[in-house]
Amino acid sequence: MTIRVLLADDQALLRSAFKVLVNSEADMEVVGEAADGAEAVTLARSERPDVVLMDIRMPGTDGLAATRMITADPDLPDVRIVMLTTFEVDEYVVQALRAGASGFLGKGAEPDELLGAIRIAHAGEALLSPTATKGLIATFLAQGPGADAAGEGGRGRTERLAALTAREREVLVLVGGGLSNDEIAERLDVSPLTVKTHVNRAMAKLGARDRAQLVVTAYESGLVRPRVE
């Protein structure tokens, strides 16, 4: 299966470099290029990419607004978004996760990291770039819930948490802690397939698009709290 990739960045030179890299892979192809967020949304709706590499800061409609529009579109439930940022220690990172992005990556990432990020996002996994620590994400999330979490959306999420079984809540806590399915399976002494089943059920009950949204929910709900170093 070929992974269809949409590139969204206002720097033409950077888009060209990403395009050459992505198209050099046998299992990937670039299906569109956007210079701003509005164009990215339009192309996402027409091309139906599997993964969007989205720059956070663009003129006009920025990457965050574009991400919200794409993830809110009922016709684009399977589109995964990886945010690209120059500065990874950035409040925009968590805004991106709250907006529905599958994760983020610094623009200075190595080519293999970028290609790996596309594959990870396509697989529905949560992507936190290697240079970003879990503590950083936890700290930003702990600064307080977003507007949605404080309003009707947040109350709805709390109600959905009550629908989780004890095992699903346990798995959610471990997902929020950054553990992989294999690591969770070892911790709980069950098979990775069993863990995957629990993760998928938790995602369905919480209305999460992917694993990254489970991480956000785990912190914003208070199930997981940041460590104080």
Side-chain angles (χ1 to χ4, degrees), residues 65-79:
T67 295
R68 292 189 188 98
M69 285 187 273
I70 291 173
T71 58
D73 192 325
D75 292 328
L76 302 174
D78 299 322
V79 176

Side-chain angles (χ1 to χ4, degrees), residues 8-225:
D9 196 295
D10 61 321
Q11 299 181 51
L13 186 60
L14 196 57
R15 291 201 311 273
S16 296
F18 286 157
K19 183 175 182 178
V20 170
L21 178 63
V22 171
N23 284 339
S24 69
E25 297 297 292
D27 62 337
M28 299 181 190
E29 67 170 330
V30 173
V31 296
E33 296 181 55
D36 58 44
E39 188 177 8
V41 174
T42 297
L43 286 174
R45 289 169 175 162
S46 64
E47 300 299 329
R48 303 298 175 90
D50 297 307
V51 178
V52 180
L53 290 182
M54 181 86 75
D55 186 18
I56 286 185
R57 297 172 179 173
M58 291 185 288
T61 302
D62 65 17
L64 290 172
T67 295
R68 292 189 188 98
M69 285 187 273
I70 291 173
T71 58
D73 192 325
D75 292 328
L76 302 174
D78 299 322
V79 176
R80 303 291 179 240
I81 300 175
V82 175
M83 306 298 296
L84 298 173
T85 178
T86 303
F87 304 102
E88 294 184 51
V89 182
D90 195 323
E91 65 181 75
Y92 291 129
V93 165
V94 172
Q95 289 185 44
L97 293 176
R98 284 180 174 142
S102 294
F104 69 95
L105 197 68
K107 288 188 176 181
E110 294 295 323
D112 286 347
E113 288 181 292
L114 181 65
L115 296 172
I118 293 172
R119 294 187 176 99
I120 290 171
H122 181 244
E125 298 293 328
L127 171 73
L128 301 181
S129 74
T131 54
T133 65
K134 296 168 188 172
L136 169 66
I137 300 301
T139 298
F140 275 122
L141 286 172
Q143 289 178 351
D148 180 65
E152 292 297 331
R155 286 192 289 274
R157 179 163 50 245
T158 299
E159 292 174 0
R160 290 194 295 271
L161 277 176
L164 298 182
T165 65
R167 179 62 95 181
E168 288 164 357
R169 289 171 71 92
E170 188 175 12
V171 168
L172 176 58
V173 169
L174 295 174
V175 168
L179 275 65
S180 67
N181 283 359
D182 287 343
E183 291 170 333
I184 294 173
E186 183 176 357
R187 179 77 63 88
L188 300 180
D189 195 24
V190 297
S191 72
L193 181 59
T194 297
V195 173
K196 183 177 181 180
T197 298
H198 288 311
V199 169
N200 288 340
R201 287 176 178 170
M203 286 173 56
K205 291 179 180 180
L206 296 173
R209 286 170 58 89
D210 55 27
R211 200 181 186 93
Q213 298 309 297
L214 288 183
V215 174
V216 172
T217 298
Y219 278 104
E220 291 195 326
S221 66
L223 284 178
V224 176
R225 298 186 183 281

